[in-house]
Amino acid sequence: MSKSAALPLPATSGVRPDGTTWISLGDPAKPPHMQFDGPPCAKAAAEIARTLNVAPLAAKALLAVREACSDLDTDAVLPGAVGELVETALAAMGERS
């Protein structure tokens, strides 16, 4: 994933006194920062924020798996179907092999 294209993190979410929800990306005191309204419930807003926060960690783990499996000096062997799932996930995250 390109660092320049990455969203500012951490992502947080909350509910205003009127019941509307928000999602905030990055530190409001340090640009870049984004905040937007929605989704319509707090549970969905929290899940979106959690997913955004975990994406860079998941990408790093998948890259490590791919590297370990392509290194002939390791004992890491995955079935081809698992390797295809790793490649598909990395491609969805913007990584290319």
Side-chain angles (χ1 to χ4, degrees):
M1 277 191 297
S2 167
K3 288 287 184 189
S4 62
L7 293 171
L9 294 177
T12 57
S13 66
V15 180
R16 295 181 189 93
D18 67 0
T20 60
T21 62
W22 53 268
I23 296 174
S24 178
L25 304 176
D27 182 345
K30 300 177 196 167
H33 172 258
M34 298 178 227
Q35 184 166 329
F36 53 94
D37 292 336
C41 74
K43 185 177 179 181
E47 182 66 16
I48 290 168
R50 185 191 68 76
T51 301
L52 291 171
N53 286 324
V54 78
L57 301 172
K60 186 175 181 179
L62 289 169
L63 287 167
V65 168
R66 181 172 68 187
E67 181 65 28
C69 291
S70 64
D71 183 353
L72 299 177
D73 292 334
T74 68
D75 293 332
V77 178
L78 294 175
V82 173
E84 289 175 19
L85 290 171
V86 168
E87 289 297 336
T88 300
L90 284 169
M93 296 174 148
E95 284 290 336
R96 304 289 178 231
S97 54

